[in-house]
């Protein structure tokens, strides 16, 4: 397996250039208005610009022109930094999405012409951008699939590495759960007829690009609540600043407009206000980097809240399918003969289980000479398969099916075989009994191979407070064994599609959020019901429509990553909010004495940072306030690391780093800036 | 150790010993469990219900609770206005005191129905006994009202997905009859035996040692003082409040009164633990409140005991500490302790002149009111604290990577909106009120010279204190403010009204809305609210949101004054 690495540097120069341009465009008031915190800074900047003009025209009581221009410039830079944070996040997301989209743009499509109600087999080459929903197109070996669609005829091997990074080709065929193809992937062999499932510009990827670009980005409920909190803080500080004017009048302490606006801008939570939308976009971008397309920002956020994960056993917990691990030969049967019969019975068996039997036997079946073979296919009725040749009838199947076959012919099943069957079942394996001419030869043991490292991941999930549930078609005994071995918390055995649905409903009524992954059409209702439904890209269109995320890698363990991305998103918001608000302590101690010490020298005692002068104190505070934004952009884009150490420990850790850090850092920062400024004054 | 400090510690220990069992008792009263009081009070309660045609078992949702609360408050408002503006000719007026002017009656009425007890009048000359009795009634029912609202929030915190939150009248009547009434009886009897008057006769005449004849005001004082302290009302029978020797005769009554101030506010926290069956949460809340309380208390006692540095500079020793404006029978430490008690709890009774305390103590007293949630008023103190919990839960919930939830209920935009409005309200009322007064004064100091007894920083502190006290429904005065003018009566009245009802409506609405939400069971990823870390988070939110927003104002008042004292 070779994974395509999707690393882009945090600040790639082309992206930075684009983001810089965008930062100025975003200064337009209609765009600023979306963010109440930064909008007030915007108004403050305009007012300061007015003050500068006023001073230039001869006003004497507002401090020097240079000082006021500096304050205005720092405020403007604060705005640009905040815009830059949003723009760079957008640019990165867009770049990521573009690289996925590029492959499918303007690929020639072999459109199957339609006349009236009829499709005629006449091919017309059109650019992919002209394909509409419902159109049919043909793809032959070597063609790039021009658009997302569903195979309606044929079968093909397809190279999906452009999307998934997975180099091994996959088989897609009409009907069933593997009928979906993605634009940009390449047909390697055979030919398929595909029906277009989305209109141009409406594929999941297009929707996601729109989300990232902000055109259709809606604030998530949590983002709205946080914006209310931040707007509330902003209001408090408006009150604090505005009422200070009459207070100062009473104390006959003149305060310049620059000082008022600086105090206000420093106190309002500009750090989080400036980074908030960047954090949201970066969350979706991180999902995209994990090759997961989200249909809304809310889906990523909800993923962080998930309480229950429904995981399919096959492919998620165990490697692919069961494998033959052992042959149990019945007493009196030659081991070599048994192996030979086992291989013969599996010759026509294309299932991974059948292949694994031949693998275990270690023989090449083509060396066997078989006259006029007749292969017996597996049916739900006989629950066995096999081969007939000459006068030999070899059967392989579930133990009860073979037992029935053997006993009805008047033969007995040796007790040793019965024992072996029971032992295999209780160990979580699947026994396949082999018979020749209605006599039992022995048992093939099939075992699930649990993915290495999977139980550690479940342990990690448990520490996050997430319950894992394994869904399997196995009988309860086998299911229980595997569940225990893999370390999942619960399992649904002999699962039918409606069992999944019922389980999800049950968990939801007791207030839990459920996430699941699915691919088949019969998964669609459950995907829709689940709070987070991740559909595999290889799955049917119905499944993809029903879920709220699509995993391009078709990797069933992706859910775990998605949950962590969601948690990171919320945590990044929380920690930066804390940091931003904690910063206020130091800013108060920088600016409040600066406002008053000229007329009330006694207040020099609260100038605990011993800042040089009122002007330098105010400038240091606003400069610190501005440069902290770009310094935190990397954190906002990468997200705060999630550690599954339990909520209380996590709170303690983050409170220490971002809370206490948020109190201390500005004291140091403002003092250093003051020392630097001092040398200029 | 200094005996004064020992006295303070003893008062606090006595308080805890009484508050913990009382909390359990209050919990039982609200959850309708059997208590000893049933025998006596069930017939009494039933009589009230029968007379007023109330079915106390009707379940109410949070909106109905608030409607009931506001309705009875409007009725009381009208009743009080009627009595206060007509008491000169109404009965029970042996001293022939006059009726109140409309603006003073408005201020007094608002102040008493809101549990504030800001007094722009003096009881001896401005009130008839009927007026005092009406006010005493309000001291019961306004306290009962706050406790009932708090009970609604407790029940809502406990419930899972319902809008049925009990009956408002049930909580209200029980608060009055089973909690306030018996405690008041005990207290009143203690005061009675220590020399506090309890009579309906008019002024008494005595001859002093000097041979002068003096008129001594009397009245139903003992009963009035008991509920004044227990219900965090604070309005004194006499103008000088508990500095008056008949309202607070000796150190023993002072101890009893001090304990009474904090008793129910502290007990409410333990009642929460009992009702929710979350003792640890109650202790965490108690811990946060106590931490804030001590941070205000300890420096206050230190500065008061140390004395005024300006006097020290004059070369005068102050072995008893700063004694200006304090009663010799209580001393500096007990007075400072009372000052922080009365301001932290929205009580507002005084046993010393707050105006004369050192600027630092004055500031800590103001901070107690500005936060108004370090124990706070009966019932309403916890409601204020609840808002801070919601804010802290929201921020710290995000910090652990989950949509914030409190006791299994998700906190979303709607709740945040209400919480933020309520958190904003207090700074808004205080700062805007003071700003308007400062503006008026600053632009015409001579016309309004009568407002302020002191110029400069201290004058600013007087105005700031008045609005802080009004908005916090505290009712204590810094004094030295010429406050019986239409401007102060009306503006403070409005601040009191808004400062009372919105902070009740907000938490009840949030709790009611949360109670109606889907219950999310706890998991390892859920933020636990009964831990020290979360307690610290709540404290930080209070310090930054509530206390720091007053920093610029305080810098111009007490802080400037403090650093100017040399």
């Amino acid at each position: 397996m070779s994974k395509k690495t999707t690393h882009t540097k945090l600040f790639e120069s082309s992206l930075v250039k684009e983001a810089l341009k965008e930062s100025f465009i975003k200064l337009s008031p209609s765009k600023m208005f979306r963010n109440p915190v930064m909008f007030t800074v915007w108004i403050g900047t305009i007012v300061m610009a007015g003050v500068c003009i006023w001073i230039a025209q001869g006003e004497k009581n507002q401090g020097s022109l240079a000082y006021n221009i500096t304050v205005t410039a720092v405020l403007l830079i604060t705005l640009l930094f905040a815009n830059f944070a949003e723009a760079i996040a957008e640019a990165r997301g867009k770049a990521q999405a573009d690289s996925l989209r590029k492959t499918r743009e303007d690929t020639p499509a072999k459109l199957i012409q339609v006349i009236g109600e009829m499709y005629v087999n006449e091919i017309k080459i059109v650019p992919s951008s002209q394909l509409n929903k419902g159109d049919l197109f043909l793809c032959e070996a070597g063609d790039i699939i021009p658009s997302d669609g569903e195979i309606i005829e044929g079968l093909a091997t397809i190279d999906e590495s452009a999307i998934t990074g997975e180099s091994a080709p996959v088989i897609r065929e009409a009907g069933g759960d593997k009928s979906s193809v993605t634009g940009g992937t390449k047909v390697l062999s055979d030919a398929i007829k595909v029906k277009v499932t989305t209109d141009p510009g409406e594929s999941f990827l297009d929707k996601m690009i729109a989300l990232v670009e902000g055109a259709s980005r809606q604030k998530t409920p949590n983002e709205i609540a946080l914006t209310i909190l931040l707007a509330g803080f902003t209001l408090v500080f408006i009150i604090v600043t505005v009422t200070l004017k009459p207070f100062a009048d009473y104390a006959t302490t003149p305060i310049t407009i620059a000082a008022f606006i600086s105090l206000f801008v420093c106190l309002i939570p500009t750090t989080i206000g400036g980074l908030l939308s960047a954090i949201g976009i970066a969350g979706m971008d991180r999902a995209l980097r994990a090759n997961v397309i989200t249909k809304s920002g809310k889906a990523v956020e909800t993923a962080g809240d998930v309480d229950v994960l429904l995981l399919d056993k096959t492919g998620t917990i165990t490697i692919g399918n069961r494998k033959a691990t052992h042959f149990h030969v019945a007493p009196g049967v030659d081991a070599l003969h048994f192996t030979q019969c086992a291989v013969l019975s599996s010759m026509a068996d294309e299932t991974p289980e059948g292949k694994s039997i031949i693998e275990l036997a270690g023989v090449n079946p083509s060396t066997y000479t078989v006259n006029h073979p007749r292969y017996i296919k597996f049916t739900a009725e006989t629950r066995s398969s096999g081969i007939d040749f000459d006068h030999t009838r070899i059967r392989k199947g579930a133990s009860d099916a073979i037992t029935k076959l053997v006993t009805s012919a008047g033969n007995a099943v040796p007790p040793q075989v019965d024992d072996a069957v029971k032992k295999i079942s209780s160990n979580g394996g699947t026994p396949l009994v082999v018979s020749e001419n209605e006599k039992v030869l022995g048992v093939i043991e099939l075992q699930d191979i649990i993915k290495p490292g999977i139980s550690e991941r479940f342990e990690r999930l448990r520490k996050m407070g997430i319950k894992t549930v394994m869904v399997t078609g196995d009988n309860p005994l086998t299911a229980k064994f595997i569940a225990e071995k893999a370390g999942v918390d619960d399992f649904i055995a002999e699962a039918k599609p409606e069992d999944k649905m019922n389980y999800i409903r049950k968990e939801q009524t007791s207030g839990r959020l459920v996430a699941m992954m699915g691919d088949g059409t019969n998964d669609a209702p459950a995907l829709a019901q689940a709070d987070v439904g991740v559909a595999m890209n290889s799955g049917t269109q119905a499944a993809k429509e029903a879920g709220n995320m699509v995993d391009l890698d078709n990797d069933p363990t992706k859910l775990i990553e998605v949950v962590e991305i969601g948690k990171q998103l919320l945590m990044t918001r929380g920690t930066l909010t804390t940091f931003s608000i904690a910063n206020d302590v130091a800013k108060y101690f920088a600016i409040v004495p600066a406002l008053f010490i000229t007329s009330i020298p006694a207040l020099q005692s609260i100038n605990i940072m011993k800042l040089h002068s009122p002007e330098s104190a105010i400038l240091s505070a606003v400069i610190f306030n501005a440069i902290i934004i770009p310094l935190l952009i990397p954190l906002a884009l990468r997200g705060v690391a999630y550690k599954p150490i339990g909520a209380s420990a996590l709170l303690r850790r983050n409170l220490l780093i971002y809370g206490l850090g948020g109190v201390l850092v500005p004291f140091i920062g403002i003092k250093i800036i003051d020392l630097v400024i001092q040398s200029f004054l | 150790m200094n005996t004064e400090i020992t006295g303070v510690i003893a008062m606090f220990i006595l308080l805890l010993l009484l508050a913990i069992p009382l909390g359990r008792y209050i919990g039982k009263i609200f959850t309708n469990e059997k208590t000893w009081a049933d025998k006596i009070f069930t017939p009494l309660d039933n009589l009230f219900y029968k007379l007023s045609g109330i079915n106390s078992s009707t379940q109410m949702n949070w909106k109905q609770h608030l409607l009931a609360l506001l309705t009875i408050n409007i009725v009381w408002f009208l009743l009080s206005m009627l009595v206060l503006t007509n008491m000169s000719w109404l009965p029970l007026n042996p001293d022939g005191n006059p009726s109140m002017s409309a603006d003073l009656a408005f201020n007094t009425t608002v102040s008493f129905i809101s549990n504030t007890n800001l007094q722009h009048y003096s009881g001896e000359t401005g009130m008839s006994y009927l007026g005092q009795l009406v006010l005493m009634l309000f001291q019961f029912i306004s306290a009962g009202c706050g406790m009932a609202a708090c009970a609604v929030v407790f029940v809502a915190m406990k419930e899972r997905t319902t809008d049925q939150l009990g009956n408002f009248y049930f909580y209200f009547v029980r608060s009055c009859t089973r909690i306030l009434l018996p405690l008041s009886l005990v207290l009143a009897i203690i005061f009675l035996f220590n020399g506090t008057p309890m009579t309906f006769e008019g002024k008494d005449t005595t001859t002093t040692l000097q041979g002068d004849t003096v008129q001594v005001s009397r009245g139903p004082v003992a009963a009035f003082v008991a509920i004044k302290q227990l219900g965090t009302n604070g309005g004194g029978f006499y103008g000088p409040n508990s500095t008056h020797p008949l309202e607070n005769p000796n150190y023993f009554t002072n101890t009893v009164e001090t304990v009474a101030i904090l008793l129910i506010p502290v007990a409410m926290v333990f009642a929460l633990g009992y009702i929710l069956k979350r003792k640890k949460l109650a202790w965490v809340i108690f811990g946060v409140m106590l931490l804030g309380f001590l941070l205000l208390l300890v420096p206050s006692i230190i500065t008061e005991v140390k004395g005024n540095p300006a006097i020290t500079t004059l070369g005068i020793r102050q072995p008893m500490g700063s004694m200006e404006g304090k009663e010799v029978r209580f001393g500096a430490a007990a007075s400072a302790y009372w000052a922080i008690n009365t301001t932290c709890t929205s009580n507002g009774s005084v046993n010393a002149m707050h105006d004369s305390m050192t600027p630092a103590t004055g500031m800590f007293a103001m901070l107690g009111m500005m936060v108004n949630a370090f124990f706070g008023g009966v019932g309403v103190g916890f409601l204020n604290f609840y808002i801070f919990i919601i804010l802290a839960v929201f921020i710290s919930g995000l910090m652990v990577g989950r949509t914030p939830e409190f006791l299994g209920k998700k906190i979303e935009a709607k709740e945040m909106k209400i919480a933020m409005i309520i958190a904003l309200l207090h700074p808004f009322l205080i700062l805007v009120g003071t700003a308007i007064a400062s503006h008026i004064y600053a632009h015409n100091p001579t016309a309004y010279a009568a407002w302020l007894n002191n110029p400069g920083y201290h004058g600013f502190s007087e105005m700031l204190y008045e609005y802080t006290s009004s908005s916090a429904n505290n009712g204590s005065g810094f004094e030295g403010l010429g406050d019986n003018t239409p401007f102060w009566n009306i503006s403070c009245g409005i601040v009191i009204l808004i400062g009372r009802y919105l902070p009740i409506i907000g938490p009840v609405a949030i709790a009611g809305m949360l109670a109606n939400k889907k219950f999310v069971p706890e998991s390892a990823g859920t933020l636990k609210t009964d831990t020290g870390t979360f307690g610290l988070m709540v404290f930080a939110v209070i310090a930054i949101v509530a206390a720091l927003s007053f920093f610029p104002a305080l810098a111009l008042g007490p802080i400037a004054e403090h650093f100017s004292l040399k």
Side-chain angles (χ1 to χ4, degrees), chain B residues 62-90:
Chain B
W62 64 267
K63 286 179 188 156
Q64 291 165 320
H65 273 287
L66 289 175
L67 190 69
L69 184 147
L70 293 176
T71 316
I72 53 176
N73 274 271
I74 288 171
V75 173
W76 298 337
F77 177 85
L78 296 174
L79 170 75
S80 169
M81 281 301 279
L82 210 66
V83 172
L84 295 183
T85 49
N86 293 291
M87 59 190 174
S88 62
W89 58 270
L90 286 170

Side-chain angles (χ1 to χ4, degrees), chain A residues 7 32 36 141 244 263 292 311 365 376 386 455 471 497 546 556-557 570 575 587:
Chain A
H7 278 303
M32 296 301 305
L244 202 53
L263 173 69
V292 174
L311 299 163
I376 314 293
S455 58
V471 182
T557 56
L570 292 179
T575 49
K587 291 172 187 168

Side-chain angles (χ1 to χ4, degrees), chain A residues 351-540:
Chain A
T351 63
E353 285 94 342
K355 284 179 190 156
S356 77
I357 292 171
I358 296 169
E359 221 170 85
L360 181 69
V363 288
N364 186 352
S366 57
T367 57
Y368 293 137
T369 44
V370 182
N371 301 322
H372 314 295
R374 201 164 63 82
Y375 297 109
I376 314 293
K377 282 225 165 177
F378 179 88
T379 66
E381 247 165 80
T382 60
R383 295 176 64 217
S384 62
S385 60
I387 184 171
D388 285 358
F389 59 93
D390 298 338
H391 297 292
T392 314
R393 295 177 299 279
I394 300 174
R395 291 289 179 278
K396 171 189 81 181
S399 94
D400 50 343
I402 300 293
T403 305
K404 207 173 144 198
L405 185 79
V406 169
T407 47
S408 63
N411 295 324
V413 177
Q416 288 90 337
V417 170
D418 263 344
D419 286 348
V421 165
K422 274 182 200 145
K423 209 178 134 205
I424 294 165
S425 295
S426 65
N427 282 341
T430 309
L432 283 181
V433 181
V434 181
S435 71
E436 184 188 28
N437 296 340
E438 289 82 50
K439 269 187 225 137
V440 174
L441 294 181
V443 190
I444 304 168
E445 180 174 355
L446 296 180
Q447 277 287 5
D448 274 309
I449 310 294
I450 290 169
K451 279 193 178 175
I454 197 80
S455 58
E456 284 79 27
R457 295 193 89 166
F458 291 145
E459 185 54 37
R460 193 175 158 92
L461 285 169
R462 196 164 303 120
K463 282 187 183 150
M464 286 182 190
I466 296 170
K467 179 175 151 190
T468 45
V469 181
M470 179 179 85
V471 182
T472 172
D474 292 342
N475 65 59
L477 206 68
T478 313
K480 184 165 185 271
F481 180 83
I482 296 170
E484 272 170 14
K485 212 165 148 197
V488 291
D489 300 314
D490 197 2
F491 62 87
I492 311 173
E494 289 169 352
K496 294 181 284 299
E498 60 268 28
D499 290 341
K500 262 192 205 179
M501 189 74 179
N502 291 339
Y503 197 92
I504 294 174
R505 285 232 182 88
K506 192 186 88 200
E507 291 289 349
Q508 284 175 335
T509 41
S510 59
R512 294 189 178 85
L513 295 187
V514 185
M516 71 163 283
M517 196 145 188
D519 52 4
T521 303
N522 55 17
D523 281 335
L527 278 172
Q529 177 72 30
D531 301 280
V532 176
V534 184
M536 297 206 212
N537 196 42
S538 62
T540 58

